[in-house]
Amino acid sequence: MIEITELSKRFGANEVLRGVDLTVRDGEIFAVIGPSGSGKSTLLRIVNLLETPSSGCVRIDGTDIHAADRQISIRRGMGMVFQKPVVFSTTVFENVAAGLRIRGMSEAAIRSRVKEALELIGLADRAEQNARTLSGGEMQRVAVARALVTDPVLLLMDEPTANLDPIATENIEDLIRRINRDYGTTLILTTHDLLQGQRLAHRMGVMIEGGFAQVGTPREIFSEPNTRSVARFVGMEN
Ligand code: ATP
Ligand code: MG
């Protein structure tokens, strides 16, 4: 379970997160939606230990992750996929194997893990292609495979389909559903696409100006927005 308590983040005078409280349950797909600049990426970056909170905390299974002394092992329990797919100029196979090599896994185990991940993303026949020559959607699938192959308990995805066309988007959405269903991975994703949140998420949170204005099932958020700002954001009111 991920428990975020009274989390605030300031960049200079700019208070980007203002006392965020949120619990994400194990095995859940949770979508963070909200206007540009509301703090969605900052929240994910704090959970992924790429930023430190100004105050408040993030606990994973009871451990305050920013206070813990074993940050490397906490970090290794998480995977992160960014809006722009990050791939290295080497083969698809090596891109996916990267996270396993630093863990010192045997070559045979790496081969079988990577093969399984490439089958999952539908790129098993491209293992030897240079990842930089893939399409944007294929690169994003490689980035997902790299994050996934290490068996993270938590997968964070920041606008994973923002740069993709509808078909590539559908591919990634299918992949997200399968990861969640087959591996039980907890997923937190941010999206500009309200309908994507509705299609994928068990629950979603509407972030407005650095705090969750509403958290609930997609049905609750779309049919019973609790404030005018949420209603305006989900398009019920202009
Ligand atoms: P978008 O939907 O456009 O991706 P977002 O909700 O993800 O927006 P963030 O990227 O979290 O928004 O940014 C929230 C605010 O924090 C913005 O005003 C941004 O300029 C500011 N911000 C983010 N990172 C930094 C940083 N490292 N230094 C200074 N300001 C920052
Ligand atoms: Mg963002």
Side-chain angles (χ1 to χ4, degrees), residues 21-166:
D21 288 306
L22 178 71
T23 299
V24 177
R25 302 165 190 151
D26 289 343
E28 183 167 54
I29 301 180
F30 190 91
V32 180
I33 60 171
S36 185
S38 58
K40 304 180 297 295
S41 297
T42 303
L43 179 65
L44 282 200
R45 292 172 58 80
I46 289 176
V47 174
N48 195 227
L49 297 165
L50 295 169
E51 298 276 3
T52 52
S54 300
S55 62
C57 72
V58 178
R59 288 197 186 83
I60 298 183
D61 297 334
T63 302
D64 177 342
I65 61 171
H66 296 90
D69 29 294
R70 300 186 51 230
Q71 300 222 341
I72 290 176
S73 74
I74 292 170
R75 180 82 155 275
R76 285 185 177 173
M78 296 190 253
M80 180 130 172
V81 174
F82 298 89
Q83 173 170 346
K84 274 204 194 143
V86 178
V87 298
F88 316 120
S89 180
T90 173
T91 62
V92 167
F93 181 93
E94 284 304 324
N95 266 270
V96 177
L100 298 175
R101 295 216 188 280
I102 53 171
R103 287 169 168 78
M105 193 178 269
S106 78
E107 198 55 36
I110 290 175
R111 294 221 152 262
S112 96
R113 286 267 188 130
V114 173
K115 185 164 173 281
E116 183 190 353
L118 292 181
E119 275 161 14
L120 181 75
I121 62 168
L123 292 177
D125 56 338
R126 306 290 193 89
E128 296 310 316
Q129 185 172 338
N130 186 303
R132 291 263 168 91
T133 64
L134 295 170
S135 74
E138 289 164 349
M139 282 188 201
Q140 193 59 301
R141 277 144 65 196
V142 169
V144 172
R146 186 195 307 123
L148 190 70
V149 78
T150 58
D151 268 341
V153 287
L154 174 62
L155 191 53
L156 305 164
M157 301 179 130
D158 194 7
E159 309 267 0
T161 63
N163 292 314
L164 304 182
D165 71 23

